[in-house]
Amino acid sequence: MYWYISILPPAVESTLYDTNPLIEFLEGQPELRRTNPVSFGAADGQPWIDITIVKGTADGNWSSSGTFISQFNRVEIVCSDYEQQNFYVEISAKIADFLAWRLITKGDV
């Protein structure tokens, strides 16, 4: 079973933000490794995770081909399960704190 976490701006999701500062931040996290221009996975020895920087639409949809995007308005995280919940919460909170954004798990309102 998968666990989904979205990191969203505090207000309007249509506002776009520069991708490069977030890429630099994520590259500095020892528990992560870059898997393509806009995605990160777990470093060796860490639980499986997929973190993707995306540009969502006004209706909340998003997609990623893995191609670099210069601006984004959400970060999508897929975790393998709840067994390593502390790892997922910690890395998600780090990203949300860095951006000063909010995080929402599937099922949150």
Side-chain angles (χ1 to χ4, degrees):
M1 184 161 189
Y2 293 102
W3 187 30
Y4 301 91
I5 302 169
S6 297
I7 300 176
L8 306 171
V12 180
E13 284 185 50
S14 61
T15 302
L16 297 175
Y17 301 86
D18 182 17
T19 303
N20 288 316
L22 179 57
I23 294 283
E24 290 174 17
F25 173 77
L26 294 172
E27 286 179 331
Q29 304 307 305
E31 59 270 84
L32 300 176
R33 65 177 175 77
R34 196 167 182 178
T35 56
N36 71 42
V38 291
S39 295
F40 288 78
D44 291 342
Q46 298 295 335
W48 183 89
I49 191 170
D50 180 75
I51 300 169
T52 305
I53 301 164
V54 300
K55 192 183 303 182
T57 61
D59 59 5
N61 293 319
W62 62 271
S63 66
S64 176
S65 65
T67 303
F68 181 78
I69 54 173
S70 61
Q71 295 182 313
F72 75 107
N73 61 357
R74 66 191 300 151
V75 178
E76 292 297 328
I77 301 172
V78 181
C79 312
S80 61
D81 56 36
Y82 285 100
E83 290 179 20
Q84 299 294 327
Q85 188 173 5
N86 287 342
F87 172 76
Y88 303 133
V89 169
E90 287 173 17
I91 195 65
S92 299
K94 276 186 187 181
I95 297 166
D97 289 347
F98 173 76
L99 295 169
W101 289 10
R102 60 195 165 100
L103 59 92
I104 297 174
T105 61
K106 184 178 179 185
D108 287 349
V109 177

